[in-house]
């Protein structure tokens, strides 16, 4: 049977997200990101479409690589102004029952002891629908804001992340026994102290000597998402990620990355089915092919090329203001995102990218494909991508919000349901169970986080 296709909606607590300039489109509401009603309406819409999750990107720092100033980013609203994504979750959880929330949080500037409690809080308040997109950042501007001269070197950030995860696993999985909260009225005992254990960690980057502050939440460890796909990033994903977000313009770029991620997951001793892979894409739907194409062209007429290049400069660490429009983009080593630069240099040797091509690509939906057509032809294109790359679904960005998401929910989802390639209802349970099956509320046995469970530690020690 053909594989089911999963959808996340891809958002950011900002204006325009991956379609800089389209905030000027008369129907775009992305500038309402500051209003709770924008988010609660969106959450309800997505739940109507049986979308697995709202995946909210986040970036600390401003995109000031382009021309060495933040002016292009500020002028075009390229992911600035930007608010905290976590604050949105409670309100959306209150108006939904099944939608998951994949929240991006940068671990470089927050101690794991503090962060672990914030995630536990959201796992409680959402009844187990929270996920964490693990990122370490790519902008020096964030490091400078946090009192450093520059960000940590690329590969060192993954080493930091490795230890960070060890610490949060210990806090989430190893501090409180499942039966620690007794609420024993007769004995006047709320928590049995004998069932709460102190985490003692002394590593290269972190020291912790504490018990976790939150009582056990439905999933304990949130569903873990990851996105960087450099070789170090993929190895990290193979060990830790339950969902991976891949981005690239073509099947030729995405297919090999997916195969490698599946191989690395198995090499890390995990079941390949314990990882779901989502590809970035944007959908533009019309009643006819011509109407869809006209809508796409109309959207593009609002694109702001300065914003696109400000984003690409920040992602790659390469100042695109110094390059000629018809100049080929060449690979260099930088401490920013290797995935972003690989996408337009060496990921597909058969394709040469000039700066003009980059501008063109980034007008809508970042580096991902834009599927344009009727609901039927968009469904054909999505199916073809899944079949050719072996991804499990898509992280769907918007051109104009909420219009792009309405088109998906009202037109593309019913078409895929008719074809038997999209669920008709959510699976029961917490987010991890909805994604991986009943009885999977906690990290699976082969996952490194599971080894920090109280029982697991004891067994290992015996
Ligand atoms: C598709 C994709 C989405 C990403 N989303 C974010 C994000 O929301 N916030 C962030 O700080 N970094 C984000 N990143 C950056 C990665 O987490 C990572 O720091 C960066 O890509 C460098 O790792 P790499 O060289 O392994 O790609 C994203 C990267 C990719 C490829």
């Amino acid at each position: 049977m053909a594989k089911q296709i999963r959808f996340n909606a891809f958002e950011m607590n900002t204006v325009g997200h991956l379609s800089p300039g389209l905030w000027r489109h008369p129907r775009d509401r992305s500038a309402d990101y500051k209003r709770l009603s924008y988010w609660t309406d969106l959450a309800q819409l997505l739940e109507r479409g049986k979308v697995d999750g709202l995946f909210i990107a986040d970036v600390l720092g401003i995109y000031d690589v382009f021309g060495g100033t933040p002016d292009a980013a500020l002028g075009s609203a390229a992911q600035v102004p930007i608010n905290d994504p976590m604050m949105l979750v409670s309100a959306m959880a209150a108006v939904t029952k099944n939608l998951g929330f994949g929240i991006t949080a940068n671990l470089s500037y927050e101690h794991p002891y503090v962060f672990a409690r914030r995630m536990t809080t959201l796992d409680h308040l959402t009844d187990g629908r929270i996920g964490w997109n693990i990122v370490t950042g790519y902008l020096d501007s964030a490091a400078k804001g946090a009192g450093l001269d520059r960000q940590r070197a690329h590969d060192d950030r993954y080493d930091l992340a490795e230890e960070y995860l060890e610490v949060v696993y210990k806090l989430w999985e190893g501090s409180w026994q499942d039966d620690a909260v007794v609420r024993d009225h007769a004995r006047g005992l709320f928590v049995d102290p004998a069932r709460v254990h102190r985490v003692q960690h002394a590593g290269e980057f972190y020291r912790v000597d504490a018990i976790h502050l939150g009582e056990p939440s439905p999933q304990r460890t949130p569903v873990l998402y990851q996105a960087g796909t450099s070789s170090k990033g993929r190895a990290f994903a193979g060990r830790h990620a339950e969902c991976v977000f891949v981005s690239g313009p073509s099947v030729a770029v995405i297919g090999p990355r997916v195969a490698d991620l599946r191989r690395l997951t198995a090499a890390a001793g995990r079941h390949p089915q314990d990882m779901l892979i989502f590809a970035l894409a944007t959908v533009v739907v019309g009643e006819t092919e011509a109407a869809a194409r006209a809508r796409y062209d109309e959207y593009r007429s609002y694109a702001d090329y300065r914003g696109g290049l400000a984003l690409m400069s920040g992602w790659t660490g390469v100042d695109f203001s110094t390059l000629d429009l018809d100049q080929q983009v060449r690979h260099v080593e930088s401490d920013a995102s290797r995935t972003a630069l690989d996408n337009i240099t060496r990921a597909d040797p058969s394709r040469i990218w000039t700066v003009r091509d980059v501008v063109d690509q980034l007008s809508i939906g970042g580096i991902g494909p834009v599927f344009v057509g009727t609901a039927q032809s968009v469904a054909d294109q999505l199916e073809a991508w899944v079949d050719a790359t072996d991804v499990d679904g898509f992280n769907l960005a918007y051109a104009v919000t909420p219009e792009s998401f309405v088109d998906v929910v009202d037109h593309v989802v019913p078409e895929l349901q008719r074809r038997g390639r999209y669920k008709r209802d959510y699976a029961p349970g917490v987010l991890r169970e909805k994604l991986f099956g009943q009885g999977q509320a906690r990290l699976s046995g082969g996952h490194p986080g599971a080894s920090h469970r109280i029982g697991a530690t004891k067994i290992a020690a015996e």
Side-chain angles (χ1 to χ4, degrees):
M1 201 178 81
K3 177 152 103 174
Q4 293 274 298
I5 297 177
R6 294 182 171 280
F7 285 158
N8 282 325
F10 191 32
E11 260 280 10
M12 204 173 203
N13 198 355
T14 189
V15 183
H17 188 198
L18 283 179
S19 298
L22 271 76
W23 58 270
R24 293 173 296 179
H25 190 284
R27 293 192 298 277
D28 185 71
R29 278 191 56 207
S30 68
D32 289 344
Y33 73 98
K34 298 164 295 187
R35 296 181 188 283
L36 271 186
S37 61
Y38 171 78
W39 296 100
T40 50
D41 289 352
L42 178 64
Q44 288 179 315
L45 167 73
L46 299 174
E47 188 154 272
R48 183 156 64 75
K50 313 287 185 284
V51 171
D52 282 310
L54 175 60
F55 185 95
I56 309 186
D58 187 37
V59 63
L60 281 179
I62 194 158
Y63 288 81
D64 59 1
V65 176
F66 184 74
T69 84
D71 296 0
L74 288 166
S76 61
Q79 302 188 354
V80 65
I82 182 161
N83 283 344
D84 188 319
M86 274 199 209
M87 309 269 188
L88 303 170
V89 174
S90 297
M92 292 191 286
V95 298
T96 53
K97 289 228 166 327
N98 289 291
L99 184 69
F101 304 99
I103 300 300
T104 302
N106 186 331
L107 58 80
S108 292
Y109 307 106
E110 185 172 15
H111 196 281
Y113 173 67
V114 180
F115 174 71
R117 183 178 69 152
R118 301 206 303 144
M119 276 292 164
T120 297
T121 307
L122 283 179
D123 201 40
H124 281 300
L125 294 178
T126 60
D127 290 323
R129 289 188 277 149
I130 198 76
W132 170 32
N133 178 30
I134 307 160
V135 305
T136 58
Y138 46 84
L139 293 172
D140 279 330
S141 61
K144 288 181 185 157
L148 307 170
D149 291 335
R150 68 185 65 81
Q151 64 184 325
R152 208 177 274 278
H154 178 273
D155 286 4
D156 294 352
R157 295 203 298 275
Y158 280 112
D159 295 338
L160 181 83
E162 194 70 39
E163 189 180 326
Y164 197 99
L165 283 172
E166 189 184 333
V167 176
V168 289
Y169 292 148
K170 287 177 178 172
L171 290 163
W172 285 325
E173 303 286 339
S175 187
W176 292 58
Q177 290 179 205
D178 288 340
D179 55 1
V181 178
V182 290
R183 290 174 75 165
D184 186 330
H185 289 243
R187 289 158 69 206
L189 196 67
F190 196 90
V191 179
D192 180 351
R195 299 178 194 173
V196 181
H197 307 279
R198 180 170 286 273
V199 169
Q200 285 176 311
H201 176 93
E204 188 183 347
F205 304 105
Y206 299 104
R207 286 164 59 96
V208 176
D209 179 7
I211 61 166
H212 185 47
L213 291 170
E215 64 181 273
S217 66
Q219 301 182 108
R220 298 259 191 157
T221 298
V223 174
L224 299 173
Y225 293 72
Q226 203 266 349
T229 47
S230 62
S231 57
K232 192 114 179 176
R234 268 179 259 181
F236 179 87
R239 282 192 295 282
H240 300 283
E242 299 175 277
C243 298
V244 176
F245 174 25
V246 291
S247 67
S250 61
V251 164
V253 171
I254 295 297
R257 278 189 198 150
V258 172
D260 202 38
L261 281 164
R262 302 230 187 267
R263 182 183 65 76
L264 287 163
T265 308
R270 298 169 61 202
H271 197 285
Q273 298 313 318
D274 286 348
M275 178 189 280
L276 294 173
I277 304 179
F278 295 84
L280 171 64
T282 308
V283 160
V284 178
V285 184
E287 288 211 342
T288 61
E289 292 295 323
R293 188 52 57 183
R295 190 181 245 204
Y296 174 67
D297 291 340
E298 193 238 352
Y299 286 164
R300 277 171 54 99
S301 70
Y302 290 94
D304 185 332
Y305 79 95
R306 292 170 310 162
L309 288 182
L311 291 177
M312 188 48 95
S313 299
W315 291 334
T316 58
V318 174
D319 179 0
F320 275 73
S321 77
T322 63
L323 307 180
D324 220 56
L325 262 185
D326 291 309
Q327 195 171 335
Q328 182 184 345
V329 183
R330 299 206 182 268
H331 187 265
V332 291
E333 287 296 313
S334 92
D335 272 331
S337 167
R338 305 237 161 112
T339 306
L341 195 54
D342 278 358
N343 276 335
I344 51 171
T345 55
R346 34 180 211 189
D348 176 6
S350 71
R351 173 140 190 217
I352 286 172
W353 290 78
T354 64
V355 176
R356 196 184 296 278
D357 297 330
V358 173
V359 167
D360 198 50
Q361 166 73 42
L362 290 196
S363 57
I364 289 179
I367 197 68
V370 184
F371 298 125
V372 182
T374 61
Q376 292 75 17
S377 85
V378 166
D380 289 345
Q381 295 172 67
L382 293 168
E383 284 191 80
W385 250 66
V386 168
D387 297 343
T389 60
D390 190 32
V391 295
D392 298 288
F394 296 91
N395 236 9
L396 294 172
Y398 64 82
V400 165
T401 181
E403 184 166 290
S404 299
F405 297 125
V406 171
D407 285 344
V408 168
V409 168
D410 285 347
H411 302 294
V412 180
V413 164
E415 179 59 30
L416 287 171
Q417 284 173 329
R418 263 192 293 280
R419 299 178 182 198
R421 294 208 70 171
Y422 192 92
K423 62 181 161 310
R424 292 201 174 261
D425 213 341
Y426 287 104
V430 299
L431 178 59
R432 189 173 279 112
E433 289 176 298
K434 292 183 197 310
L435 296 172
F436 297 102
Q438 206 115 48
Q440 305 283 324
R442 306 276 302 272
L443 285 173
S444 77
H447 190 284
S451 68
H452 296 286
R453 275 183 206 144
I454 293 158
T457 318
K458 270 203 211 114
I459 291 161
E462 274 163 14

